C-alpha cells in the first residue's frame, strides 16, 4: 500500500483524491487548513484528512516525512517553498502548482536527497510539455512547437464570458507576467494579452488566442527548437477587457491609499472579480488544447498534432479543468511510486516525454479516465 499525501483540498486536490481513492494500492490523505473542505472530501471519497497550515514549509516537511508519496495542489505562491520542504523531507513528489519561480533551481538538492520530483504536471503546463518533449525527441530537426490552451465555461455570460478554474491570483498573473517566446532560436519577450488572433477549433468554434508566459521550462530544455509559442484561449473580447483593467491599474500590486486605507489594487480586484468568476455547483466547463510540432522525420516534413476537447463530467461532479489537470499528476505519481519513472532530481514533464513508452502509457491511462487526446500525423 502506497501511503499518499495530497497537499491542498481545492478543485485540483479534490480530483486527485477521487482518482487515487478508487485506484488499488493507494492509501490517501488530504491535507488542508479548511475543516469544511476536508469534511466534504472525506464524506465524498472516504479518504483520510489532516488539518494543517500548508503555507508553513516547516509544517509541510514534517507532514510529508510520514508518507511514501506526495502530490502538490497548492496555489502557485506556495509552489517553490513547498517543493523545497518535500525534497528536504526526502519524499518523492508530483506537483501542479505552476510556480512563478524556476523549480529547476532545486534539482541539485533533489539529487542529493535521492528525491524524484516532477513539477508543472497538469494539463498546460504538463501534458503540453510532455507532448512537446515527445515530438522534439522524434523530429530531427524539430522546427516549431505551438501550444494553445484554455479553460472556459460552456455557457457564455456577459460581460466576462469567463469563469476561473483555479486560484484567483494565478489567473491575474497570466494577464500581467511578460510572455516569453522563442523566435529564430532566441528568447523574445511579448506583453501578456498581446498578439490576439482568432482560432477556429472543432467542437467549439472561434476563440481568441493571446500571448501568455506558458512555455516555462521548454525554453531551456528544448534549446534545439528555434520557434516555440504558447497562447491562452478565451471567448472573443476577453483580452480587450482584461487589457482595459490592466491599463486602469486594477491589476497593480503597488500599494495605494484610498480614504486613509492602504491596499493593493490587485487584491481588491481579485476580491471583487472572483465571486463573479466562480463556478456554481454543477456548472459545466470545458478544456480545449492543441499542441503542434513540425519538423523532419525520415526524410519527410512531418506535422504532429494533438487536440484535447474535454467537458465537465456530471457523473463525478468534477470540472473538466480539475480532471485534465489532476489526472496527469496522479498517473505520474503512480509511475514514480511503482518505480517506472525513478530518477533523482527535479523534472518538468518534457523529460518524461523523452522516455520510451511513458507518453503512450500516460495517454492510455488518461483515456481510461475519460480524458482523450486525439493525435494526427501529417507527412509531406
Amino acid at each position: 500500500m502506497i501511503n499518499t499525501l495530497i497537499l491542498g483540498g481545492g478543485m485540483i486536490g479534490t480530483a486527485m483524491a477521487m482518482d487515487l481513492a478508487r485506484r488499488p494500492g493507494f492509501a490517501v490523505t488530504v491535507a488542508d487548513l479548511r475543516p469544511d473542505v476536508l469534511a466534504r472530501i472525506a464524506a465524498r471519497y472516504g479518504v483520510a484528512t489532516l488539518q494543517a497550515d500548508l503555507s508553513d514549509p516547516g509544517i509541510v516537511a514534517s507532514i510529508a516525512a510520514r508518507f511514501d508519496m506526495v502530490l502538490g495542489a497548492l496555489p502557485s505562491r506556495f509552489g517553490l517553498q513547498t517543493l523545497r520542504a518535500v525534497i528536504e523531507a526526502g519524499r518523492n513528489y508530483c506537483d501542479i502548482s505552476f510556480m512563478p519561480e524556476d523549480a529547476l533551481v532545486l534539482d541539485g538538492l533533489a539529487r542529493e536527497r535521492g528525491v524524484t520530483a516532477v513539477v508543472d504536471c497538469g494539463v498546460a503546463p504538463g501534458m503540453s510539455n510532455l507532448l512537446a518533449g515527445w515530438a522534439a525527441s522524434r523530429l530531427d530537426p524539430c522546427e516549431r512547437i505551438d501550444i494553445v490552451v484554455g479553460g472556459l465555461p460552456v455557457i457564455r455570460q456577459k460581460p466576462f464570458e469567463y469563469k476561473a478554474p483555479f486560484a484567483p491570483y494565478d489567473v491575474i498573473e497570466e494577464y500581467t507576467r511578460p510572455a516569453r517566446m522563442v523566435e529564430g532560436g532566441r528568447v523574445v519577450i511579448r506583453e501578456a494579452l498581446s498578439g490576439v488572433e482568432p482560432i477556429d477549433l472543432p467542437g467549439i468554434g472561434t476563440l481568441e488566442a493571446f500571448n501568455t508566459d506558458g512555455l516555462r521550462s521548454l525554453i531551456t530544455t528544448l534549446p534545439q527548437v528555434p520557434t516555440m509559442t504558447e497562447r491562452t484561449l478565451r471567448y472573443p473580447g476577453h483580452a480587450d477587457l482584461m487589457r482595459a483593467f490592466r491599463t486602469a491599474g486594477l491589476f497593480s500590486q503597488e500599494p495605494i491609499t484610498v480614504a486613509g486605507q492602504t491596499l493593493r489594487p490587485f487584491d481588491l480586484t481579485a476580491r471583487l472579480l472572483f465571486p463573479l468568476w466562480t463556478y456554481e455547483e454543477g456548472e459545466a466547463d470545458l478544456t480545449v488544447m492543441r499542441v503542434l510540432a513540425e519538423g523532419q522525420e525520415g526524410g519527410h516534413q512531418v506535422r504532429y498534432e494533438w487536440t484535447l476537447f474535454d467537458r465537465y463530467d456530471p457523473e463525478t461532479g468534477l470540472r473538466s479543468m480539475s480532471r485534465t489537470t489532476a489526472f496527469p499528476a496522479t498517473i505520474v505519481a503512480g509511475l514514480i511510486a511503482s518505480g517506472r519513472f525513478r530518477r533523482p532530481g527535479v523534472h518538468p514533464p518534457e523529460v518524461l516525454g523523452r522516455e520510451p513508452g511513458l507518453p503512450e502509457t500516460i495517454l492510455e491511462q488518461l483515456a481510461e479516465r475519460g480524458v482523450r487526446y486525439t493525435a494526427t500525423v501529417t507527412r509531406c
Side-chain angles (χ1 to χ4, degrees):
M1 187 68 67
I2 302 165
N3 199 17
T4 305
L5 173 66
I6 298 171
L7 298 172
M11 291 179 282
I12 310 302
T14 295
M16 289 177 174
M18 184 214 72
D19 187 52
L20 290 179
R22 61 186 184 181
R23 303 291 159 185
F26 286 91
V28 180
T29 298
V30 178
D32 198 285
L33 183 61
R34 300 162 293 180
D36 57 323
V37 167
L38 294 174
R40 172 179 53 79
I41 294 174
R44 185 171 296 180
Y45 305 119
V47 300
T49 61
L50 179 63
Q51 187 175 7
D53 181 2
L54 302 178
S55 68
D56 185 333
I59 292 175
V60 170
S62 176
I63 295 171
R66 295 152 46 186
F67 291 84
D68 304 317
M69 182 74 214
V70 183
L71 290 90
L74 295 173
S76 65
R77 65 184 183 276
F78 301 132
L80 189 68
Q81 69 180 42
T82 303
L83 174 62
R84 184 187 298 275
V86 175
I87 292 172
E88 289 177 342
R91 294 298 180 260
N92 294 326
Y93 189 48
C94 190
D95 179 49
I96 57 88
S97 73
F98 193 39
M99 64 192 76
E101 302 90 351
D102 181 5
L104 299 185
V105 300
L106 297 178
D107 180 64
L109 179 63
R111 291 172 185 267
E112 177 187 319
R113 299 297 175 91
V115 169
T116 298
V118 177
V119 295
D120 278 353
C121 197
V123 59
M127 289 303 297
S128 56
N129 299 58
L130 181 130
L131 296 171
W134 189 12
S137 70
R138 298 173 66 92
L139 298 172
D140 187 17
C142 181
E143 299 163 351
R144 172 176 173 256
I145 291 172
D146 177 62
I147 301 162
V148 293
V149 60
L152 296 163
V154 172
I155 306 284
R156 300 171 60 173
Q157 295 181 328
K158 290 186 177 297
F160 303 112
E161 297 187 313
Y162 177 69
K163 294 290 180 78
F166 45 87
Y169 288 89
D170 294 346
V171 174
I172 294 177
E173 277 284 326
E174 286 193 357
Y175 301 152
T176 58
R177 189 167 58 238
R180 296 164 297 166
M181 308 291 177
V182 179
E183 298 176 4
R186 300 180 60 185
V187 178
V188 298
I189 306 298
R190 303 288 182 224
E191 185 180 67
L193 298 168
S194 66
V196 178
E197 174 189 1
I199 290 185
D200 294 323
L201 294 172
I204 188 169
T206 301
L207 298 175
E208 65 180 19
F210 51 82
N211 293 328
T212 46
D213 191 42
L215 285 179
R216 298 172 62 75
S217 57
L218 292 174
I219 292 172
T220 54
T221 60
L222 300 182
Q224 74 275 27
V225 184
T227 302
M228 291 193 286
T229 52
E230 194 273 357
R231 294 167 292 167
T232 290
L233 295 170
R234 296 284 186 263
Y235 290 121
H238 185 82
D240 279 345
L241 183 57
M242 294 302 103
R243 277 199 303 270
F245 283 5
R246 190 179 64 193
T247 300
L250 298 180
F251 296 156
S252 172
Q253 298 195 40
E254 293 298 318
I256 61 173
T257 301
V258 179
Q261 301 295 318
T262 300
L263 54 80
R264 298 190 310 170
F266 183 99
D267 297 323
L268 177 61
T269 301
R271 178 67 63 87
L272 294 174
L273 274 184
F274 278 85
L276 304 175
W277 283 7
T278 298
Y279 282 95
E280 302 293 334
E281 186 71 26
E283 184 177 0
D285 72 323
L286 58 87
T287 306
V288 58
M289 183 167 71
R290 185 188 69 193
V291 179
L292 297 177
E294 297 175 339
Q296 298 288 318
E297 185 177 18
H300 298 278
Q301 184 71 19
V302 176
R303 174 189 175 110
Y304 284 97
E305 179 176 343
W306 292 271
T307 57
L308 171 69
F309 183 77
D310 186 81
R311 287 179 175 268
Y312 165 80
D313 180 14
E315 182 178 342
T316 61
L318 293 178
R319 296 191 191 99
S320 171
M321 183 58 70
S322 301
R323 296 164 62 251
T324 58
T325 300
F327 294 167
T330 56
I331 291 168
V332 169
L335 295 173
I336 295 171
S338 69
R340 177 77 183 276
F341 181 78
R342 188 72 63 82
R343 185 185 303 170
V346 176
H347 307 288
E350 57 268 28
V351 172
L352 280 70
R354 297 193 291 262
E355 292 290 311
L358 274 189
E360 293 91 340
T361 296
I362 293 169
L363 288 169
E364 288 169 4
Q365 291 195 27
L366 282 170
E368 291 171 1
R369 291 158 167 82
V371 177
R372 295 178 176 85
Y373 286 78
T374 301
T376 59
V377 182
T378 305
R379 290 181 170 83
C380 303

